[in-house]
Amino acid sequence: MGAAATRARPRGSGRGPASRGVSVPGLNVPDERPHHRGVASPLIVVEGFRKTYGDVVAVDGIDFTVAEGEIFGLLGPNGAGKTTTLECLEGLRFPTAGTLRVRGIDPSRDAGRLRDVIGVQLQTSSLPETMRVAEAMRFFSAYHAIAPRWDLLERLGLQSKLRAEYGTLSTGQQRRVALALAVAHDPPVVFLDEPTAGLDVGTRAELHALVGELRERGVALVLATHDMAEAEKLADRVAILLAGRIVASGSPRALTAAAADLTRVSVRSERQTLATGSERLPGVQRQLRKDGYEVYFTAAVGPTVAAVFRALEDADDPLVDLRVERPSLEERFLELTGRGGAA
């Protein structure tokens, strides 16, 4: 099914995928986003999904959909139900109740058809350490009855590693191999579980670019991650899971706009003449000085910024830098989950 792991379902009787208009060779991006996005039926449908393990409720009646050409972020602390949800959508576990559909397929009843529809990059891969990169590509390509996708390995900078054993690769190289195997058969749906955990900045940026290109091709992607900045950057919509329930959902911008946290206005001027008292600036509820900036926490951004400009003009103090920063998705996540540390 495109999962770079050994826990894949037994092979069904279907052949390799026909062309679906989700072509990845070279990963060339069209000039415009496909106009069918947001019009076609959702590729993933989750309705009333519930999963229990004895008396333990892992997922407690959640609903969401994912359209083609959309990245959907599934966020939550450990134990929130993210991985359980992905595994049921991938056909690796069976739901206790509710409806799950992936491109019209019930994952719990028709794994043979599902394997050519989805690609899966697991949080940890289980390829044999002595398997060479070229062998892995041949193996997964044979599983899907397609020609080996050497172009993908080249696109991901792995052409010099074809003869290298998997266990000798760096973490970033292993993640790139896993992603190449997950999308080699051009699946219309891709599941990514913590795809960039432990990667260096350069490799992370490279994989982010690839994920964006897949979206432009019309692929529906589900991203489960602890990295709030990653979700805020990549996802069109997110759902925050807590104790098996969705406590908030929507676009990252909409979720951060609803945060109770105040907006930060950071100001640095040439002579730093801004008054230390916040009473002169409307809407400001808190103020501090940090790294040469006056930082105002305000509930009224427009009036605060206007007052800053007036104060600097009156003092004939040239503005050096001004930054207006909305609460981040991570701050909104911590607010909703009541956690005091990183997820």
Side-chain angles (χ1 to χ4, degrees):
M1 78 177 63
T6 58
R7 63 179 186 179
R9 287 282 191 181
R11 180 172 178 169
S13 59
R15 299 297 295 169
S19 175
R20 304 185 180 93
V22 186
S23 176
V24 186
L27 293 170
N28 296 318
V29 183
D31 292 337
E32 297 180 355
R33 184 179 297 277
H35 57 264
H36 56 245
R37 183 182 176 193
V39 176
S41 299
L43 293 187
I44 299 173
V45 176
V46 176
E47 294 178 342
F49 167 52
R50 180 178 172 86
K51 177 63 178 177
T52 61
Y53 300 95
D55 295 331
V56 177
V57 179
V59 183
D60 192 12
I62 66 172
D63 306 87
F64 64 85
T65 62
V66 185
E68 57 182 302
E70 180 178 34
I71 299 177
F72 184 82
L74 204 54
L75 314 179
N78 289 331
K82 303 186 305 296
T83 297
T84 295
T85 300
L86 290 189
E87 289 178 342
C88 287
L89 284 168
E90 295 159 5
L92 301 175
R93 297 187 185 274
F94 300 98
T96 304
T99 299
L100 300 179
R101 295 291 184 271
V102 179
R103 214 185 186 212
I105 298 171
D106 183 341
S108 65
R109 295 179 180 273
D110 203 346
R113 289 177 59 208
L114 187 68
R115 71 183 185 93
D116 284 334
V117 170
I118 69 173
V120 182
Q121 183 186 15
L122 301 174
Q123 187 170 351
T124 56
S125 298
S126 300
L127 290 175
E129 289 200 354
T130 57
M131 176 177 275
R132 300 184 188 277
V133 172
E135 291 173 337
M137 177 55 74
R138 289 193 186 98
F139 176 80
F140 276 83
S141 297
Y143 179 78
H144 291 289
I146 61 173
R149 294 294 307 278
W150 309 122
D151 61 302
L152 268 180
L153 294 177
E154 182 177 0
R155 164 65 176 82
L156 291 169
L158 295 166
Q159 66 273 18
S160 64
K161 298 294 182 179
L162 295 182
R163 295 182 59 82
E165 294 182 351
Y166 183 77
T168 67
L169 301 178
S170 68
T171 299
Q173 290 166 342
Q174 289 181 350
R175 291 298 176 95
R176 281 181 274 172
V177 170
L179 185 57
L181 299 179
V183 303
H185 57 297
D186 288 358
V189 177
V190 173
F191 297 103
L192 304 173
D193 194 355
E194 301 290 351
T196 62
L199 298 188
D200 60 75
V201 174
T203 303
R204 182 186 299 257
E206 181 179 315
L207 292 187
H208 283 180
L210 177 55
V211 167
E213 292 170 14
L214 290 171
R215 174 178 60 183
E216 294 295 336
R217 288 292 184 182
V219 176
L221 298 106
V222 179
L223 171 69
T225 181
H226 285 88
D227 189 332
M228 298 297 115
E230 179 172 75
E232 190 165 11
K233 177 181 178 180
L234 295 179
D236 300 293
R237 291 185 300 123
V238 300
I240 297 178
L241 276 172
L242 184 63
R245 296 183 178 180
I246 294 177
V247 296
S249 63
S251 70
R253 179 177 292 274
L255 289 182
T256 55
D261 290 341
L262 301 171
T263 299
R264 291 185 297 274
V265 177
S266 302
V267 185
R268 184 171 184 172
S269 62
E270 194 170 282
R271 294 192 289 111
Q272 301 185 7
T273 59
L274 287 172
T276 57
S278 61
E279 65 276 2
R280 292 184 55 188
L281 302 181
V284 172
Q285 298 184 19
R286 224 167 19 103
Q287 179 179 350
L288 58 86
R289 177 179 289 273
K290 182 177 181 181
D291 299 329
Y293 285 81
E294 292 292 338
V295 183
Y296 303 99
F297 295 84
T298 178
V301 177
T304 298
V305 172
V308 165
F309 282 130
R310 285 195 299 269
L312 292 177
E313 184 177 1
D314 291 344
D316 193 24
D317 187 2
L319 176 67
V320 174
D321 189 21
L322 185 144
R323 305 177 186 183
V324 178
E325 300 170 296
R326 300 161 60 94
S328 68
L329 186 60
E330 180 174 3
E331 291 168 330
R332 178 60 167 152
F333 175 86
L334 296 175
E335 176 189 328
L336 288 167
T337 60
R339 294 163 62 91

